[in-house]
Amino acid sequence: MPLPFVAPTREPAGTAEQLATLGTKLEYLHPALYAGEAARRTATPNHPANTAGTRAYQEHVRVLREEHIRSEGWQRLLHDHLELVYNPEKSIAIGVMIGDAATGNHRHSPTNLRKRGAATARAAEQNSAQLELFLPPPGPDEAVLSDDEAEALQVWFLVSYRVQAGDAVQIHSELSLPAQVENEFVVGWKRRIPLPVLEMDGIEPPDEDGQEEIDIPVDFR
């Protein structure tokens, strides 16, 4: 059955302008979160314990890439074991990360909900040290960076945190640039762009033996 969709709450002042400086839009970010939530709901109690989270992550990455590649001419990028989508005009890339309850709240600084590997720490260290952006390499679909281009790359993350209350789910999110990682957790951010809360209802646990393929209509206005 279709997954009911409720439009996001009002966009914070200046969000669109801040995203535009990176070459992205909310219309590319929220569909990735929506697709992840839809994929999460296909996991049944008989699946392995991490199935829901894994499926959500895979759809986050897929849709984030598809939206930017189709609409903005970005490129897929696998950089230092991080699955990213790359802006060939601004030498920045975006990945995904699950955050904690402070995600999307400008009054509090979030961190990742689960430990991240050394690649995130290296990206944060590089983000913190950068003063300006360099020209990116050419490429049709898949980006391959030279040493200098890799050194200039800024790696942002679409950080999200889901809250379920009864039959509704709220997904709090932000697009943020990590600057410091300690013990595999982000403890400092160079820049944060909180995004409006995405709300979905109609939570229905799937049958234990699985379910038929679901239709996921997305209507953004």
Side-chain angles (χ1 to χ4, degrees):
M1 62 178 294
L3 183 68
F5 172 75
V6 180
T9 56
R10 186 171 61 87
E11 185 174 327
T15 297
E17 292 78 7
Q18 293 185 70
L19 295 176
T21 64
L22 305 177
T24 188
K25 299 178 181 179
L26 185 64
E27 290 90 336
Y28 309 150
L29 306 177
H30 267 177
L33 300 177
Y34 182 85
E37 177 63 24
R40 170 184 291 276
R41 299 183 193 188
T42 66
T44 74
N46 288 330
H47 280 96
N50 64 344
T51 297
T54 298
R55 289 182 176 177
Y57 164 76
Q58 292 169 342
E59 289 303 291
H60 286 161
V61 172
R62 178 186 68 83
V63 175
L64 191 68
R65 282 174 166 169
E66 288 181 353
E67 292 288 340
H68 287 88
I69 291 170
R70 178 175 62 247
S71 301
E72 301 293 340
W74 290 32
Q75 300 167 319
R76 292 185 304 277
L77 176 63
L78 176 60
H79 176 70
D80 196 12
H81 307 291
L82 296 175
E83 296 283 358
L84 309 169
V85 61
Y86 174 65
N87 184 335
E89 294 183 353
K90 296 181 179 291
S91 198
I92 69 167
I94 300 176
V96 298
M97 178 187 296
I98 302 301
D100 64 6
T103 300
N105 188 332
H106 69 276
R107 292 186 296 270
H108 301 281
S109 181
T111 188
N112 40 301
L113 189 63
R114 300 176 182 85
K115 289 185 177 183
R116 302 282 299 195
T120 300
R122 288 191 292 269
E125 183 178 359
Q126 183 171 316
N127 291 338
S128 181
Q130 286 171 351
L131 297 178
E132 60 182 79
L133 300 181
F134 291 75
L135 292 176
D141 295 315
E142 196 84 28
V144 178
L145 308 185
S146 68
D147 290 343
D148 288 344
E149 290 159 345
E151 185 68 22
L153 184 68
Q154 278 192 351
V155 180
W156 291 68
F157 288 93
L158 177 59
V159 187
S160 62
Y161 178 77
R162 72 189 295 273
V163 178
Q164 181 171 341
D167 290 335
V169 165
Q170 289 188 340
I171 300 180
H172 302 258
S173 62
E174 58 185 71
L175 186 62
S176 297
L177 186 67
Q180 185 178 1
V181 174
E182 294 180 0
N183 299 320
E184 301 184 57
F185 289 93
V186 178
V187 296
W189 302 88
K190 189 172 184 179
R191 186 177 168 194
R192 297 174 58 205
I193 307 176
L195 305 176
V197 177
L198 181 62
E199 298 183 350
M200 282 157 284
D201 56 16
I203 302 288
E204 288 190 13
D207 297 334
E208 290 198 4
D209 293 331
Q211 62 182 36
E212 296 180 356
E213 182 178 354
I214 60 174
D215 180 25
I216 310 171
V218 180
D219 182 17
F220 288 93
R221 298 182 175 85

